[in-house]
């Protein structure tokens, strides 16, 4: 009997449902070609539901998600909802409740013309950022006193424990080993200033590497320098590991050097539990329903989902299909409205290459 997987699907807001629909075309081809079945379980969480019911992501949904094999998310963000409500209430809640402690962000340029960097080609922009996804300032540890007074003080602490750092660093080393390219793990931090929190990462990176990953080269960048090197010499990198907030910032820079949000995808991963995959672009309300949004990031996210489910060949096939579709001459640009093809035509095109 062929394998089957249960996937919770949150189309979400704006163009989210459109790009999810297109990703499912490539997934369907992969299912029949590689002999597995995906059972989709749709959920309507997002801005519209919040405005109607006041609910973001109820605990009951988290309990249901725990029984799924994966979660596929389109986009969250609604023009009528105050910024932060849906991000914290849905995205961050899922990350924390399901302990999705890795944010995996492959950074791959599929074709030269999409890169804003001079003289860089696909072979130069091909690395992966492993961002710690539940610790640091995102924990919200801190507080405020004398709020609203001239003497107000607020803190938000970059809090990290050794186990949280170590599980992330181990994941990154293992990823570098499985990826089997340069076999180098670059730690990105700011250890020259963050002499406590940074030092914990530096020692963990070294100790875990020395002991269990002698085959993986150890490398280190300060985060400010990393932003320069991303632009100047992206070909240096293989796998990067970093703490949560630094990772949030550098992965947006990384997204633009790979061609932008039209192709950037990410996974919120709990290696022992239920993971959630999403295109990095937002809900793009002004493009909703116009068949102009780029679905490729969602398709890449779908490939990552298959890889994480253990369907490595199928995941690789989707990634190759994206590369072929982008290099067949039919897609003019990655930007919404300028692609030369509609959302659904690109979905069909990529699926035809799977
Ligand atoms: C991301 C996003 C989120 C983050 C926001 C929406 C909470 O920017 O996934 O990178 O900061 O992690
Ligand atoms: Mn971000």
């Amino acid at each position: 009997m062929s394998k089957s997987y249960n996937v919770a699907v949150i189309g979400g807001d704006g163009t989210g449902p459109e790009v999810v629909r297109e990703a499912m075309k490539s997934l369907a081809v992969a299912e029949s070609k590689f002999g597995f079945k995906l059972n989709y379980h749709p959920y309507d969480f997002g801005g519209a539901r919040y405005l109607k019911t006041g609910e973001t992501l109820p605990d009951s949904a988290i309990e249901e998600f725990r029984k799924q094999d994966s979660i596929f998310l389109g986009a969250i963000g609604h023009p009528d909802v105050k910024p932060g409500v849906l991000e914290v209430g849905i995205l961050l809640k899922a990350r924390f409740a399901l302990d999705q402690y890795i944010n995996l962000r492959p950074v791959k340029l599929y074709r030269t013309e999409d890169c804003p960097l001079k003289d860089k080609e696909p072979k130069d922009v091909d690395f992966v950022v492993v961002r710690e996804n539940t610790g640091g300032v995102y924990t919200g540890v801190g507080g405020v006193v004398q709020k609203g007074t001239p003497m107000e003080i607020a803190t938000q602490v970059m809090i990290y424990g050794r186990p949280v750092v170590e599980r992330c660093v181990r994941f990154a080393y293992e990823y570098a080993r499985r990826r089997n390219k340069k076999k180098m793990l670059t730690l990105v931090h700011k250890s020259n200033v963050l002499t406590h929190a940074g030092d914990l990462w530096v020692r963990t990176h070294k100790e875990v590497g020395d002991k269990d990953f002698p085959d993986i080269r150890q490398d280190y960048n300060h985060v400010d320098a990393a932003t320069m090197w991303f632009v100047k010499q992206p070909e240096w990198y293989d796998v990067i590991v970093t703490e949560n907030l630094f990772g949030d910032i550098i992965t947006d820079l990384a997204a633009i050097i790979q061609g932008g949000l039209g192709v950037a995808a990410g996974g919120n991963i709990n290696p022992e539990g239920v993971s959630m995959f999403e295109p990095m672009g937002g809900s793009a309300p002004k493009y909703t329903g116009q068949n102009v949004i780029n679905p490729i990031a969602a398709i890449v996210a779908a490939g990552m989902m298959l890889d994480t489910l253990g369907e490595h060949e199928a995941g690789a096939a989707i990634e190759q299909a994206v590369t072929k579709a982008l290099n067949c001459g039919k897609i003019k640009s990655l930007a919404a409205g300028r692609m030369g093809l509609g959302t659904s035509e690109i979905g069909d095109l990529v699926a035809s290459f799977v």
Side-chain angles (χ1 to χ4, degrees):
M1 210 187 80
S2 78
K3 275 202 222 155
S4 78
Y5 304 97
N6 290 310
V7 179
V9 178
I10 309 171
D13 299 313
T15 51
E18 292 169 56
V19 298
V20 164
R21 201 180 311 131
E22 298 314 314
M24 283 175 175
K25 291 178 180 170
S26 284
L27 287 171
V29 179
E31 284 178 77
S32 61
K33 211 163 164 183
F34 295 93
F36 61 90
K37 176 96 189 67
L38 299 172
N39 304 312
Y40 296 121
H41 304 273
Y43 288 86
D44 67 351
F45 301 118
R49 174 164 170 156
Y50 171 74
L51 289 171
K52 230 185 301 156
T53 67
E55 203 166 49
T56 47
L57 183 61
D59 294 342
S60 58
I62 296 284
E63 290 318 310
E64 288 176 36
F65 289 170
R66 283 188 210 287
K67 296 183 212 125
Q68 309 282 331
D69 295 298
S70 199
I71 305 167
F72 194 54
L73 172 68
I76 293 292
H78 194 289
D80 301 334
V81 179
K82 210 172 94 199
V85 172
L86 302 171
E87 292 89 332
V88 173
I90 298 180
L91 194 56
L92 296 188
K93 177 157 178 178
R95 286 180 184 172
F96 280 96
L98 299 170
D99 201 17
Q100 293 164 340
Y101 61 85
I102 299 294
N103 193 311
L104 190 64
R105 278 279 295 109
V107 182
K108 193 175 158 71
L109 175 66
Y110 294 98
R111 48 177 205 181
T112 305
E113 62 263 43
D114 299 324
C115 189
L117 305 177
K118 186 155 66 74
D119 300 334
K120 298 298 176 190
E121 305 167 29
K123 69 169 174 39
D124 300 316
V125 183
D126 183 7
F127 61 93
V128 176
V129 179
V130 175
R131 162 187 170 192
E132 201 289 322
N133 206 31
T134 54
V137 300
Y138 280 73
T139 56
V141 171
V144 58
V145 292
Q146 300 187 10
K147 191 165 181 174
T149 74
M151 295 303 284
E152 177 169 349
I153 293 172
T155 64
Q156 198 130 10
V157 183
M158 187 183 276
I159 186 163
Y160 271 106
R162 170 80 190 215
V164 167
V165 175
E166 187 162 331
R167 68 182 182 173
C168 177
V169 166
R170 275 191 187 280
F171 179 94
Y173 273 117
E174 264 151 28
Y175 197 92
R177 188 178 270 168
R178 175 154 89 87
R179 183 172 149 88
N180 200 20
K181 289 200 172 158
K182 294 196 185 88
K183 298 185 105 179
M184 178 176 80
L185 181 62
T186 304
L187 170 64
V188 166
H189 212 292
K190 183 74 186 173
S191 62
N192 51 347
V193 172
L194 302 178
T195 49
H196 311 305
D199 186 52
L200 174 58
W201 280 86
V202 168
R203 279 182 289 113
T204 307
H205 177 246
K206 177 165 191 334
E207 285 165 23
V208 170
D210 286 353
K211 179 160 175 285
D212 293 330
F213 299 92
D215 51 324
I216 308 297
R217 205 147 41 95
Q218 297 172 22
D219 179 46
Y220 176 84
N221 277 179
H222 292 316
V223 63
D224 49 350
T227 63
M228 293 199 298
W229 291 117
F230 274 23
V231 173
K232 173 95 177 147
Q233 203 180 0
E235 63 274 21
W236 173 258
Y237 297 103
D238 181 21
V239 179
I240 290 173
V241 65
T242 191
E243 72 87 40
N244 204 345
L245 181 61
F246 293 156
D248 179 46
I249 296 166
I250 66 172
T251 52
D252 267 23
L253 177 58
I256 208 70
I257 67 174
Q258 73 174 131
L261 295 177
V263 290
N268 300 274
I269 294 180
N270 177 341
E272 298 86 32
V274 183
S275 303
M276 177 168 74
F277 299 85
E278 50 170 339
M280 299 311 296
S283 56
K286 69 175 179 184
Y287 296 125
T288 304
Q290 295 178 32
N291 200 39
V292 296
I293 196 78
N294 189 343
I296 288 179
I299 301 172
V300 175
M304 292 174 70
M305 176 171 82
L306 295 185
D307 188 59
T308 307
L309 285 170
E311 298 291 341
H312 303 305
E313 265 184 274
I318 290 194
E319 197 194 295
Q320 279 156 25
V322 165
T323 306
K324 285 182 192 151
L326 281 169
N327 287 287
C328 77
K330 292 192 179 146
I331 302 174
K332 288 209 181 69
S333 156
L334 302 181
R338 277 183 278 143
M339 305 184 298
L341 289 177
T343 306
S344 59
E345 287 71 38
I346 294 187
D348 291 337
L349 183 66
V350 178
S352 76
F353 285 116
V354 176

